[in-house]
Amino acid sequence: AMEDVSAKFVSQKISRTRWRPLPAAALQPPDLFATGSWDNEDNRISIWSAGDLGNAGLNGEYHGEPHLLCDIQHNGDVMDMQFLDQERIVVASSTGTVTIFRHHQNNQTLSADHRWEKAHCHVDQDTSCGGAACTGVVCNNPEIVTVGEDGRINLFRADQKDAVRTIDNADSSTLHAVTFLRTTEILTVNSIGQLKIWDLRQQRNEPSQIFSLAGDRVPLHCVDRHPNQQHIVATGGQDGMLSIWDIRQGTMPVSLLNAHEAEMWEVHFHPSDPDHLFTCSEDGSLWHWDTSTNVSEKPSFLHQGGRSTAYLSHSTINQSVASAWLSNDPTKDRMEITNLIPNQTLSVNSLDVLGPCLVYGTDAEAIYVNRQLFA
């Protein structure tokens, strides 16, 4: 299955990869994606074309590699990024600045549309503001929420110069990631293993709910919400474990799944097929978790990850997707886990899935595109 994956060496460490969202009625697979880099002297935001499907060979296998359409310099490491719409990308910097870049498709250029300087900062004794890394950004056009090392939450609107709302000391520890639960509620994860829900309609600056990992207070690095069942949330952290939470009940995860051997950097439910989940790690692996109920009938795909593939026995056949994720002991349920990158050594920092396509970026200064995830 490796021939479905095309690689592009880009001479910069890639910290984020994101597919451009498709228009609502689009039937074609995604074609454009953005990357951001880190730990380079000159960091960049780049827009790529995934390659030419017209190059497909006789058996439909895919040839051609991603090619660069345009790029622009970015101050600081790219900590996070998300498309706001088809043209605009919101980028979080290690300097604390949040920038909206616009992709001009008529002449293939990128420009900075708007900047919130030092949206995140550490205030020192002289009350001057030293930038604090903006660690996470999430968009629900026109709203943009950012979190940072300073424990601050900002709510911006793309069309307004100043923050709509700032919760200054939302957290006494570093906030690592944020996602929308619904239009008025966000969920943050922090460096002491807590997950907090914030109701943006409330004026008070306290979370409406706090959940936490029992015991070790392991830093949580990433979070994603199930696209259809908003009470199901997945998080990953420093110990590489995948945690599944049901925010309707209890304050602890419903299940903890042994996953990676080092930090988990990103977790994503497939946006249209959420019984598939993807995680990537510092340990150089990218795992596909499949809880779809027909695992045994379908051929196992992407077997280059054979050594990490685990078949977990299954108790009841006709479970709903929700209960597969929310089962108290997922090992009793049918789940197939495949490492999509068997021999990678350096960190896989970011991944994104859309339709049949996966894009991921690594510290090996390469981006990879798989156009046939479910082939």
Side-chain angles (χ1 to χ4, degrees), residues 71 124 150 338:
D71 64 354
D124 64 24
D150 52 356
T338 311

Side-chain angles (χ1 to χ4, degrees), residues 149-151 169-175 190-192 194 196 217:
E149 242 170 36
D150 52 356
N169 298 302
D171 211 301
S172 54
S173 56
T174 295
L175 289 168
N190 71 12
S191 59
I192 56 170
Q194 293 173 321
K196 298 181 182 180
R217 291 164 98 71

Side-chain angles (χ1 to χ4, degrees), residues 237-371:
Q238 186 168 296
D239 57 1
M241 298 278 280
L242 173 64
S243 305
I244 306 290
W245 311 68
D246 181 349
I247 59 172
R248 299 169 305 184
Q249 55 188 26
T251 56
M252 285 163 56
V254 181
S255 56
L256 289 168
L257 298 164
N258 274 313
H260 302 279
E261 288 161 29
E263 290 92 338
M264 184 190 295
W265 293 131
E266 290 203 325
V267 55
H268 290 291
F269 285 100
H270 192 288
S272 53
D273 199 354
D275 44 358
H276 298 270
L277 178 106
F278 298 83
T279 59
C280 63
S281 168
E282 178 73 28
D283 69 9
S285 62
L286 191 159
W287 285 19
H288 171 211
W289 306 70
D290 181 359
T291 63
S292 60
T293 41
N294 61 346
V295 167
S296 57
E297 293 88 69
K298 71 178 186 199
S300 170
F301 59 90
L302 294 176
H303 251 312
Q304 72 265 29
R307 67 190 171 85
S308 296
T309 300
Y311 291 95
L312 308 178
S313 63
H314 182 59
S315 48
T316 51
I317 296 295
N318 57 358
Q319 296 200 36
S320 73
V321 171
S323 61
W325 285 121
L326 293 182
S327 152
N328 293 326
D329 181 6
T331 52
K332 284 204 180 66
D333 295 317
R334 185 186 298 171
M335 188 187 284
E336 183 185 10
I337 306 162
T338 311
N339 179 9
L340 302 190
I341 320 174
N343 306 317
Q344 164 75 11
T345 51
L346 294 177
S347 178
V348 182
N349 295 322
S350 185
L351 72 96
D352 198 24
V353 280
L354 188 58
C357 300
L358 165 73
V359 59
Y360 58 96
T362 74
D363 274 353
E365 305 195 340
I367 48 180
Y368 299 85
V369 176
N370 181 337
R371 301 282 296 252

Side-chain angles (χ1 to χ4, degrees), residues 24-310:
L27 298 174
Q28 77 275 25
D31 58 339
L32 289 194
F33 64 91
T35 60
S37 69
W38 81 288
D39 196 28
N40 308 289
E41 279 182 25
D42 173 30
N43 288 305
R44 305 193 84 73
I45 305 296
S46 308
I47 303 281
W48 306 83
S49 162
D52 180 11
L53 273 178
N55 291 347
L58 295 174
N59 305 325
E61 74 274 22
Y62 165 74
H63 301 294
E65 58 178 30
H67 59 269
L68 181 66
L69 296 175
C70 50
D71 64 354
I72 192 169
Q73 198 264 335
H74 177 265
N75 290 326
D77 292 340
V78 173
M79 302 294 288
D80 199 10
M81 59 196 269
Q82 203 178 29
F83 276 89
L84 181 68
D85 54 28
Q86 296 267 298
E87 273 78 49
R88 291 177 293 174
I89 315 163
V90 184
V91 181
S93 171
S94 58
T95 65
T97 296
V98 176
T99 310
I100 303 179
F101 290 97
R102 185 177 290 271
H103 174 213
H104 306 272
Q105 293 177 57
N106 51 354
N107 61 356
Q108 293 303 342
T109 57
L110 274 164
S111 64
D113 230 26
H114 188 74
R115 242 183 214 108
W116 291 283
E117 297 282 350
K118 290 192 176 156
H120 295 272
C121 62
H122 297 296
V123 180
D124 64 24
Q125 281 65 39
D126 319 324
T127 67
S128 72
C129 170
C134 177
T135 50
V137 59
V138 65
C139 304
N140 185 14
N141 191 4
E143 295 190 316
I144 298 162
V145 175
T146 69
V147 297
E149 242 170 36
D150 52 356
R152 171 186 288 181
I153 298 172
N154 290 307
L155 172 62
F156 297 111
R157 283 182 65 106
D159 47 11
Q160 290 179 24
K161 198 161 74 72
D162 298 317
V164 178
R165 171 101 189 267
T166 294
I167 306 178
D168 258 326
N169 298 302
D171 211 301
S172 54
S173 56
T174 295
L175 289 168
H176 279 144
V178 59
T179 190
F180 275 100
L181 274 184
R182 40 185 72 85
T183 47
T184 55
E185 276 186 322
I186 57 165
L187 192 146
T188 58
V189 296
N190 71 12
S191 59
I192 56 170
Q194 293 173 321
L195 196 150
K196 298 181 182 180
I197 297 177
W198 306 81
D199 186 337
L200 296 173
R201 293 166 302 189
Q202 302 289 335
Q203 280 316 298
R204 59 196 186 95
N205 293 342
E206 274 84 48
S208 53
Q209 273 177 286
I210 300 180
F211 303 81
S212 59
L213 293 168
D216 297 339
R217 291 164 98 71
V218 174
L220 292 172
H221 290 305
C222 54
V223 59
D224 197 27
R225 190 206 75 201
H226 191 291
N228 315 332
Q229 308 195 32
Q230 297 178 333
H231 54 277
I232 302 178
V233 172
T235 63
Q238 186 168 296
D239 57 1
M241 298 278 280
L242 173 64
S243 305
I244 306 290
W245 311 68
D246 181 349
I247 59 172
R248 299 169 305 184
Q249 55 188 26
T251 56
M252 285 163 56
V254 181
S255 56
L256 289 168
L257 298 164
N258 274 313
H260 302 279
E261 288 161 29
E263 290 92 338
M264 184 190 295
W265 293 131
E266 290 203 325
V267 55
H268 290 291
F269 285 100
H270 192 288
S272 53
D273 199 354
D275 44 358
H276 298 270
L277 178 106
F278 298 83
T279 59
C280 63
S281 168
E282 178 73 28
D283 69 9
S285 62
L286 191 159
W287 285 19
H288 171 211
W289 306 70
D290 181 359
T291 63
S292 60
T293 41
N294 61 346
V295 167
S296 57
E297 293 88 69
K298 71 178 186 199
S300 170
F301 59 90
L302 294 176
H303 251 312
Q304 72 265 29
R307 67 190 171 85
S308 296
T309 300

